[in-house]
Amino acid sequence: MDPTTVMIAFGFAWGAWVLYRIHQRRSSTSDPAATIVPKPKAEQAEMPRVGTPATLTFNQIKALQANSFTPDKNWSKEEAALILDAVKYLRAVCRDISDDGDGEPPLEIQNSLLRYILTEQDIRDFIRKWGEDRRAQGLEDYADDEPELAQNGQYDRVKNEAQKYLTAAAE
């Protein structure tokens, strides 16, 4: 075979392969992009939406910004309160397990713990109630105190998760 014939055969083979891939993509009725973009291994758990969207208050926006969040104006005041309460709770847990009072854990660890707290239904519900009880006792919405936490199942689970992240960060 001469080189011209090889090039023509290769061109036909490549063209047939491209047409086959286009046909395969178009025939996928459930997800047309499935052949282009692989599906993630596990779906990321998300915090379910609570409250009425777009009811975020000015004070909540300022408190979220002070805690390194970029608030979305579509958040509800309940979601913002839950996030702020969860951050206060996780920082209190980290303070309790810290040996020498290093201060707040690194932001990456806080984000991982926050994701864990907000995606676990029972922990999220517990922290929501914990925050509501604090506000009912007359504490400011986002008091700058260091609360003492009740040692219960939710505390133990958050503590164990925090220890995993803090020991991994120390290594």
Side-chain angles (χ1 to χ4, degrees):
M1 270 210 271
D2 63 333
T4 308
T5 307
V6 172
M7 291 293 286
I8 291 172
F10 175 76
F12 277 120
W14 181 74
W17 180 78
V18 168
L19 289 174
Y20 171 74
R21 295 290 293 176
I22 291 171
H23 172 71
Q24 186 180 21
R25 189 174 37 202
R26 286 184 180 168
S27 65
S28 176
T29 57
S30 62
D31 188 8
T35 58
I36 300 171
V37 180
K39 291 186 178 182
K41 299 288 184 201
E43 293 292 324
Q44 287 285 341
E46 292 183 3
M47 178 183 100
R49 302 299 303 258
V50 294
T52 306
T55 56
L56 191 63
T57 67
F58 180 74
N59 289 341
Q60 286 176 325
I61 291 171
K62 291 299 177 191
L64 286 164
Q65 288 172 341
N67 284 291
S68 303
F69 285 94
T70 305
D72 184 349
K73 61 184 173 183
N74 291 322
W75 287 356
S76 69
K77 64 181 178 182
E78 294 85 2
E79 290 169 335
L82 177 59
I83 290 169
L84 291 166
D85 292 337
V87 168
K88 180 164 287 296
Y89 191 87
L90 73 86
R91 287 179 180 166
V93 169
C94 290
R95 182 199 67 225
D96 289 350
I97 63 175
S98 176
D99 294 333
D100 54 1
D102 296 339
E104 296 175 0
L107 197 55
E108 297 83 28
I109 293 175
Q110 289 185 49
N111 288 340
S112 298
L113 284 172
L114 183 63
R115 185 177 309 110
Y116 175 74
I117 288 170
L118 295 178
T119 56
E120 294 292 323
Q121 177 72 38
D122 64 321
I123 297 174
R124 185 177 59 245
D125 291 343
F126 172 77
I127 290 179
R128 186 174 182 186
K129 173 94 172 74
W130 176 78
E132 289 171 357
D133 291 345
R134 285 173 48 84
R135 286 184 284 284
Q137 292 173 359
L139 290 170
E140 294 179 16
D141 277 350
Y142 314 106
D144 198 21
D145 63 334
E146 294 185 3
E148 291 297 321
L149 303 177
Q151 307 284 323
N152 57 17
Q154 288 84 4
Y155 175 86
D156 291 336
R157 288 174 53 206
V158 173
K159 178 182 171 185
N160 290 337
E161 194 72 17
Q163 285 173 333
K164 285 183 207 173
Y165 290 121
L166 291 171
T167 55
E171 294 175 355

